[in-house]
Amino acid sequence: MGEYRVGLNLKVVAVNGSPRMEKGATNRILAPFIEGLKNGGASVELFHLEKMKIRPCLGELKCWRETPGECFYKDDMQDIYEALRKADVLVIATPVYVPLPGVIQDFLNRIVPLLEPVLELRNGRTRAKMRNNVNISKFVLVSTSGWWELGNFDRVVHIVEELAETSSVEFAGSLLRPHARMMLELPEEAQEIFDATTEAGYQLVTNGNITKQILEEISKPLISEEEYWARR
Ligand SMILES: Cc1cc2nc3c(=O)[nH]c(=O)nc-3n(C[C@H](O)[C@H](O)[C@H](O)COP(=O)(O)O)c2cc1C
């Protein structure tokens, strides 16, 4: 795992898998988070995956066997590889799409060239680690969903937690925004959420972690469950 350099010069790569890109709810949470990261002194490179040509992994594992660390598909993922090799933090932003949009799944599969093909057993599970020329030491998840309850994010959180374990990278937390449409419909009430999201970015850069209190503030209900169902 790369060494985490708190504060200035921290490099963050964010990928947003929302097909609605800049105008989507996911970006409405990702943007203040990025603002906070920059306030803390980080540089941030953002990729909207939907704009890019990222082919699904073909499963040949040439990146492990024949051309170590290199994917033979010379598509737009090559730009992301270049950024990822220099990054300290990877932010994966995605809407919940039963559970993921296809482009995020393709992106996650295409991370494999960055992993050493050396597997080991840890606590009964097969794990790998990032290659020595990859500096990433933390993953963060940013996600929005349509439905009211937080449990609806469980599968997405689990996927990113598992990827972090498998890559031997620290999972630095999940910024989860349920019933995301309400945040757009009630912008005044949502302002505290956006402020907490900016604070989360700042904390990550300056402290290396995000407090539980801030994560809970980001996820707090904007309306009651009864009201949610009454509005549907
Ligand atoms: C194909 C599809 C599948 C979805 N699946 C779920 C789901 O399983 N759970 C949920 O809460 N919301 C689901 N949603 C709603 C989105 O997660 C929600 O509207 C999200 O905020 C959209 O983010 P975006 O505007 O950035 O794309 C789904 C939406 C679509 C289009």
Side-chain angles (χ1 to χ4, degrees), residues 118-232:
V118 180
L119 303 176
E120 62 174 19
L121 201 60
R122 285 206 301 269
N123 300 323
R125 295 292 309 280
T126 306
R127 304 295 189 190
K129 66 179 176 68
M130 289 287 184
R131 290 180 185 274
N132 286 339
N133 65 349
V134 181
N135 209 41
I136 296 174
S137 61
K138 289 181 198 287
F139 288 167
V140 178
L141 170 66
V142 173
S143 191
T144 66
S145 75
W147 301 337
W148 187 84
E149 72 283 4
L150 266 181
N152 187 41
F153 288 99
D154 287 354
R155 290 158 300 165
V156 174
V157 173
H158 185 67
I159 287 167
V160 178
E161 272 175 349
E162 272 292 308
L163 182 69
E165 279 289 339
T166 295
S167 315
S168 303
V169 165
E170 183 192 332
F171 183 60
S174 309
L175 282 66
L176 307 177
R177 186 58 235 155
H179 48 279
R181 191 167 58 89
M182 297 319 304
M183 137 192 113
L184 307 175
E185 287 182 16
L186 303 170
E188 257 174 56
E189 289 83 342
Q191 192 53 48
E192 283 176 6
I193 289 169
F194 301 136
D195 293 345
T197 307
T198 307
E199 174 63 18
Y202 186 81
Q203 284 185 357
L204 184 71
V205 179
T206 54
N207 301 338
N209 53 45
I210 306 167
T211 61
K212 190 164 169 272
Q213 184 204 343
I214 282 291
L215 294 177
E216 283 173 0
E217 179 76 15
I218 294 166
S219 296
K220 73 178 181 187
L222 268 177
I223 54 172
S224 69
E225 193 166 14
E226 294 70 32
E227 199 181 339
Y228 171 84
W229 284 104
R231 281 173 178 252
R232 288 188 72 87

Side-chain angles (χ1 to χ4, degrees), residues 66-133:
E66 291 168 37
T67 55
E70 298 292 327
C71 178
F72 71 90
Y73 269 150
K74 299 304 174 211
D75 60 6
D76 292 345
M77 192 66 199
Q78 295 299 336
D79 295 340
I80 307 185
Y81 287 139
E82 201 183 322
L84 285 175
R85 286 194 188 96
K86 289 181 262 170
D88 301 285
V89 178
L90 168 61
V91 177
I92 298 169
T94 181
V96 178
Y97 259 33
V98 214
L100 292 174
V103 72
I104 278 281
Q105 184 60 59
D106 287 338
F107 167 78
L108 297 179
N109 293 350
R110 295 284 301 276
I111 283 182
V112 168
L114 302 181
L115 297 175
E116 284 289 355
V118 180
L119 303 176
E120 62 174 19
L121 201 60
R122 285 206 301 269
N123 300 323
R125 295 292 309 280
T126 306
R127 304 295 189 190
K129 66 179 176 68
M130 289 287 184
R131 290 180 185 274
N132 286 339
N133 65 349

Side-chain angles (χ1 to χ4, degrees), residues 7-10 12 31-44 194-195 197-206:
L8 286 176
N9 301 325
L10 197 81
V12 180
F33 183 55
I34 288 177
E35 189 189 320
L37 292 166
K38 288 182 177 171
N39 290 349
S43 65
V44 184
F194 301 136
D195 293 345
T197 307
T198 307
E199 174 63 18
Y202 186 81
Q203 284 185 357
L204 184 71
V205 179
T206 54

